[in-house]
Amino acid sequence: MNKVTLYTNARLLDPDSGLDIKGELLTINGEIAALDKKVEAPENAKIIDLKGNCLCPGLIDMRVFIGIPGADYKDTIKNTGEAAAAGGVTTVCVQPDSDPIIDSIPHIEYLASRAKNALVNFIAMPAVTKKLEGKEISEIGIMSKAGHNAFTDCSRTIENAALMNRIFKYASAFDALIITHLAEPNLSKNGCMNAGELATRLGLPGIPTAAETIVLERDMRLLKSSNCRYHASQVTCADSIEVLKNAKRNGYSVTAGVAVPHISLNEYAIEDYRTFAKLSPPLRSEDDRVAVIEALKDGTIDVIVSGHDPEDPETKRVPFEQAEAGVIGLETLLNICLEMYHNESIDLLSILAKMTSNPAKIMGLESGRLKVGAPADLCVFDLNVPYRVDAKKMISITKNTCFDGRPVQGRVVKTVVRGESVYEYAS
Amino acid sequence: MSTSQPSFPHQHLLGIEGLKEADISQIIDLADKYVDQNRQTNKKKDLLEGLTQINLFFENSTRTRMSFELAGKRLGADVINMSMSTSSIKKGETLIDTASTLNAMRPDLLVVRHGSAGAVKLLSRKVDCAVINAGDGKHEHPTQALLDALTIRRRKGRLARLTVAICGDILHSRVARSNIHLLNIMGARVRLIAPPTLIPIGAEKLGAEVFHCMEEGLKGCDIIMMLRLQTERMQGGYFPSISEYFSLYGLDYEKLGHAKDDALIMHPGPMNRGVEIDAAVADDLTRSVIQEQVEMGVAVRMACIDLLTRAKRGVN
């Protein structure tokens, strides 16, 4: 029997086509079947009144860690799926540094089998180098041909420039996407926050922005001799943005992302040694944060990620230098980003594009658009409702959010994956 | 003693940053009186009778720990020393577990040194008693700055408008950070003298003038604070050699000649003779107040312990 649902009384938002109208959207058997001001629905359609709320493509999060390595794999996948659904995220790109490390087809299949019953889509992002060691190229060709063609060493930088050069060349033969983490190892070693006056005041070892920019500059130089598709996972400073801008101007197939905390917080969030704001790369200066917003606005930065990284609270209840870096973020991806709409920095469709159509294009996914024939992965949100982020109410098992108590406007009220409702906000 | 004084407005002493001029004056005024007491034959008071002070040192220390121990004992407290580098920390106990365990023993004062910046503050949130920071990583060492201030004030009569040069390994020094804060609060002028690799980023913004030429930096200085070169925190490449360092940044009579004729030489100890300071200069009793600093250390720590336990003792 066909499963038919008609969503009525919605503000339809499709960043890809620029659509922003009051209308209706019909899904049949997990696909979008029609969308318009008025849609003729079959008789058996279940009708859901969205009460004027926004309806956009389900969010695609390109940087998600599925949990504390060594913790119960299955349970963290289930929980990650639930947290994603609550955040309007319908596709999570799983970083490979789980246990086991995802660096080959069997590991991808293992993850897929584990994630079969998860609420949202899990896409494996396999490692660029075997076991993330930065020494040997993983089986990029075989994995790409099997449809897994976005690779990353997630939180590690490939230090060896000769190896990086070969990776770019090799990957270009398979149209693989290489996603990088930008932190020159020697400049980053022992560092735990942005280098600068505050680090000096707190007596903490700093990581200069140069650590990020140097790697990006090196990679751009190497890309000159290959056509590899390149995505900088997180850019956090004005200097890196300048390098990106040049590369894009010169026609390189380069894209870039940024994580939500770097959009909305600066280094002062860690004052008083708040380990919940310890990140890699670290939170930067206010000038850099403003540059990031500008780069989102002018399109230099294409993607916004949550960087969702559940950490055992015990690894955060230690002195700052010893604390693990990482924050959860699936449930605060959309509402924190909507700040840029409410404070009139960036228009709504452009913000949504960074979490829907842009990552879909970069990753080669069918989702991320409101289009007939596209998967019915949808996010429904109330654009204006004001409240405070409350860590205690979060679905994520670990509560290491850096936004607890922050006043926000906008809330996900419903999430749909392949036509099925996977989340409903209950007040 | 001094029950008429205003009460000390802080629960803990975790750093100099955040203190006011009046707070610092209150501590060193009181310490001044304890200097006299410590010079008498009977140095002991029963002010803190029945109170327990625990010195919790996660980093090796002999001088500072002894100074705090002596200060507590001279005020009549029961003092216990715990050296955590040889204790349960090796069994994997977390800092917060250690804090809870100690808190259950109902101490009245904790003196804590830890290798990580912010660790003492973290611990202070988990205990009910007053906490004194005896040094946390590269962050602060407030009692060292206070004892330096007392030493200077007794010799020069004031802190305001003096020019103080802090020389050497500023990058790795919590003593330098605490001193920069304190001297700024008290209206002194601070200069930092070191090779660029040993000056932390943004040091000027903390309120200091930076010099890379020692002769230039010492010109007209009233006070010269030398810092120990913390080679144990350096993994190579901060400067070419000890002999180059000594020749450019070691304090000898020739460089000393650029400072004021009555400039005083200070050092928080332990000294590396022939590295940051020439042995003869260090021992020159007409210029060096290094031994006096040690004496002031006990008095300043007595003052801090006294002030921070007043609420507990029901004294104003």
Side-chain angles (χ1 to χ4, degrees):
Chain A
M1 211 181 84
N2 285 348
K3 190 163 167 51
V4 185
T5 310
L6 180 70
Y7 299 92
T8 64
N9 197 11
R11 177 177 172 188
L12 300 175
L13 292 161
D14 181 40
D16 191 37
S17 62
L19 178 82
D20 180 359
I21 56 164
K22 290 205 185 315
E24 301 177 344
L25 183 139
L26 182 73
T27 69
I28 299 177
N29 289 342
E31 280 186 5
I32 296 171
L35 69 156
D36 213 333
K37 282 183 183 152
K38 262 291 178 236
V39 171
E40 204 63 47
E43 264 180 32
N44 62 343
K46 182 182 172 191
I47 292 169
I48 296 175
D49 181 353
L50 294 183
K51 297 171 186 153
N53 282 324
C54 296
L55 173 63
C56 73
L59 310 183
I60 299 166
D61 190 340
M62 283 180 67
R63 190 175 170 87
V64 172
F65 297 85
I66 53 175
I68 315 132
D72 186 349
Y73 207 48
K74 196 173 170 184
D75 194 45
T76 56
I77 284 182
K78 180 171 176 284
N79 183 245
T80 303
E82 289 164 354
V89 177
T90 53
T91 299
V92 297
C93 300
V94 178
Q95 302 300 294
D97 76 335
S98 52
D99 185 10
I101 289 166
I102 304 167
D103 62 358
S104 64
I105 293 281
H107 292 127
I108 295 171
E109 284 171 353
Y110 179 64
L111 174 73
S113 73
R114 288 294 209 175
K116 201 167 52 201
N117 298 318
L119 289 182
V120 306
N121 307 304
F122 277 66
I123 293 180
M125 232 176 222
V128 181
T129 63
K130 286 176 189 161
K131 297 202 185 314
L132 298 169
E133 283 173 346
K135 290 179 185 156
E136 291 177 69
I137 311 179
S138 52
E139 293 174 342
I140 283 177
I142 293 176
M143 289 189 271
S144 293
K145 281 182 181 296
H148 310 283
N149 68 345
F151 300 87
T152 184
D153 274 4
C154 52
S155 301
R156 302 191 196 178
T157 299
I158 293 167
E159 191 176 1
N160 182 336
L163 176 67
M164 201 70 213
N165 196 26
R166 288 194 290 272
I167 288 168
F168 289 150
K169 286 187 170 151
Y170 192 82
S172 64
F174 304 95
D175 196 32
L177 175 71
I178 301 299
I179 302 172
T180 57
H181 178 73
L182 307 173
E184 200 285 319
N186 289 300
L187 284 172
S188 309
K189 195 162 69 184
N190 305 326
C192 60
M193 68 171 291
N194 188 39
E197 183 199 343
L198 185 64
T200 293
R201 229 174 246 285
L202 294 174
L204 293 172
I207 304 172
T209 54
E212 176 178 309
T213 311
I214 281 174
V215 180
L216 187 63
E217 282 177 326
R218 176 200 73 175
D219 289 352
M220 293 308 107
R221 180 65 53 183
L222 295 174
L223 283 174
K224 228 174 170 177
S225 54
S226 74
N227 294 319
C228 182
R229 289 195 298 127
Y230 182 96
H231 179 78
S233 175
Q234 304 179 76
V235 291
T236 64
C237 65
D239 288 344
S240 298
I241 289 163
E242 224 22 68
V243 175
L244 270 175
K245 237 181 227 168
N246 277 328
K248 286 190 164 191
R249 203 179 295 137
N250 293 331
Y252 288 44
S253 36
V254 170
T255 52
V258 66
V260 172
H262 293 100
I263 295 172
S264 49
L265 300 172
N266 64 27
E267 59 189 339
Y268 280 87
I270 69 157
E271 199 166 21
D272 239 15
Y273 304 99
R274 282 190 64 227
T275 56
F276 277 34
K278 182 173 177 178
L279 291 162
S280 171
L283 292 170
R284 299 295 187 188
S285 69
E286 178 62 9
D287 287 347
D288 284 322
R289 189 191 73 87
V290 171
V292 162
I293 303 270
E294 277 307 308
L296 282 165
K297 203 164 160 179
D298 68 21
T300 308
I301 296 178
D302 311 86
V303 171
I304 300 172
V305 298
S306 72
H308 184 81
D309 188 0
E311 291 291 344
D312 183 344
E314 288 305 315
T315 68
K316 291 282 189 184
R317 288 198 198 107
V318 293
F320 195 88
E321 275 175 80
Q322 279 101 59
E324 289 289 339
V327 295
I328 57 167
L330 283 164
E331 294 167 80
T332 46
L333 175 59
L334 183 64
N335 54 12
I336 300 289
C337 283
L338 287 177
E339 286 177 0
M340 292 185 287
Y341 162 75
H342 290 297
N343 66 25
E344 295 172 359
S345 303
I346 308 182
D347 69 275
L348 186 55
L349 282 175
S350 299
I351 294 169
L352 294 174
K354 316 275 182 197
M355 296 174 274
T356 57
S357 51
N358 288 359
K361 281 175 206 162
I362 293 166
M363 297 285 298
L365 304 174
E366 293 295 317
S367 53
R369 304 161 179 91
L370 297 186
K371 197 172 100 183
V372 174
D377 289 355
L378 308 170
C379 166
V380 181
F381 63 95
D382 177 333
L383 181 60
N384 294 312
V385 58
Y387 61 101
R388 276 179 193 276
V389 175
D390 184 352
K392 289 194 291 293
K393 287 185 185 160
M394 285 188 174
I395 285 169
S396 180
I397 296 170
T398 70
K399 312 289 185 197
N400 52 312
T401 171
C402 53
F403 295 115
D404 193 25
R406 190 176 175 103
V408 288
Q409 248 184 295
R411 171 188 275 142
V412 174
V413 294
K414 187 178 184 65
T415 306
V416 176
V417 174
R418 286 160 261 140
E420 302 280 348
S421 173
V422 293
Y423 174 77
E424 198 91 45
Y425 174 71
S427 50
Chain B
M1 184 185 282
S2 357
T3 43
S4 57
Q5 277 190 5
S7 62
F8 191 66
H10 302 276
Q11 195 193 345
H12 307 295
L13 179 65
L14 300 175
I16 298 295
E17 196 177 16
L19 294 185
K20 294 197 162 53
E21 188 180 342
D23 303 331
I24 292 164
S25 296
Q26 191 183 1
I27 297 169
I28 49 183
D29 287 349
L30 181 57
D32 229 342
K33 295 178 185 159
Y34 280 122
V35 175
D36 299 336
Q37 182 190 314
N38 287 339
R39 287 179 178 174
Q40 289 162 18
T41 315
N42 181 2
K43 302 173 180 65
K44 193 156 171 174
K45 285 227 164 202
D46 57 4
L47 218 56
L48 265 68
E49 196 181 356
L51 269 63
T52 307
Q53 170 187 336
I54 301 181
N55 297 335
L56 180 61
F57 279 64
F58 292 88
E59 249 187 7
N60 285 333
S61 158
T62 314
R63 310 156 59 99
T64 307
R65 203 207 67 211
M66 263 193 65
S67 182
F68 271 109
E69 182 175 356
L70 213 48
K73 284 184 170 161
R74 284 188 181 165
L75 290 171
D78 295 317
V79 183
I80 290 167
N81 290 310
M82 286 185 69
S83 175
M84 296 303 291
S85 54
T86 56
S87 181
S88 44
I89 195 94
K90 292 216 167 130
K91 299 172 193 157
E93 188 176 79
T94 67
L95 181 62
I96 288 177
D97 288 339
T98 306
S100 314
T101 306
L102 287 178
N103 195 47
M105 296 178 189
R106 298 187 168 274
D108 303 288
L109 180 74
L110 281 174
V111 176
V112 187
R113 169 171 286 191
H114 196 286
S116 296
V120 180
K121 188 169 218 170
L122 176 68
L123 187 138
S124 75
R125 295 198 184 109
K126 307 294 171 185
V127 297
D128 303 316
C129 67
V131 174
I132 297 177
N133 179 3
D136 62 327
K138 295 182 282 179
H139 178 223
E140 283 230 40
H141 189 358
T143 56
Q144 179 69 44
L146 288 162
L147 76 87
D148 288 342
L150 177 63
T151 309
I152 297 169
R153 203 180 71 173
R154 286 174 66 97
R155 284 291 192 124
K156 297 283 183 189
R158 63 189 160 91
L159 289 157
R161 298 180 311 283
L162 293 179
T163 301
V164 182
I166 305 176
C167 313
D169 186 358
I170 292 147
L171 181 68
H172 296 104
S173 176
R174 53 195 173 211
V175 174
R177 284 169 175 78
S178 287
N179 264 315
I180 295 169
H181 293 312
L182 186 142
L183 292 166
N184 271 290
I185 295 166
M186 303 308 283
R189 293 172 53 182
V190 183
R191 293 180 184 173
L192 304 178
I193 306 173
T197 46
L198 293 177
I199 300 271
I201 301 173
E204 315 80 24
K205 291 184 188 156
L206 267 54
E209 240 183 308
V210 174
F211 292 82
H212 303 309
C213 170
M214 195 161 184
E215 287 80 358
E216 217 175 283
L218 288 180
K219 237 169 251 167
C221 277
D222 299 288
I223 307 288
I224 307 165
M225 287 184 178
M226 299 306 298
L227 297 173
R228 185 172 68 85
L229 204 55
Q230 299 192 45
T231 42
E232 72 277 11
R233 289 185 199 259
M234 297 181 198
Q235 274 104 49
Y238 287 87
F239 53 86
S241 69
I242 296 283
S243 62
E244 175 161 328
Y245 184 82
F246 182 70
S247 103
L248 298 176
Y249 297 101
L251 186 66
D252 54 20
Y253 276 113
E254 202 216 311
K255 297 197 194 78
L256 182 59
H258 292 267
K260 278 191 187 164
D261 291 340
D262 61 349
L264 299 176
I265 300 161
M266 304 176 79
H267 194 301
M271 278 184 284
N272 296 312
R273 289 164 184 266
V275 177
E276 70 260 357
I277 190 162
D278 178 67
V281 172
D283 296 333
D284 185 342
L285 291 178
T286 64
R287 308 299 294 271
S288 161
V289 291
I290 296 170
Q291 296 310 316
E292 214 168 301
Q293 286 174 275
V294 179
E295 183 189 359
M296 295 306 125
V298 179
V300 152
R301 285 163 184 136
M302 287 168 81
C304 294
I305 293 168
D306 176 353
L307 289 170
L308 290 172
T309 53
R310 282 189 180 179
K312 196 139 210 172
R313 291 183 281 122
V315 184
N316 199 1

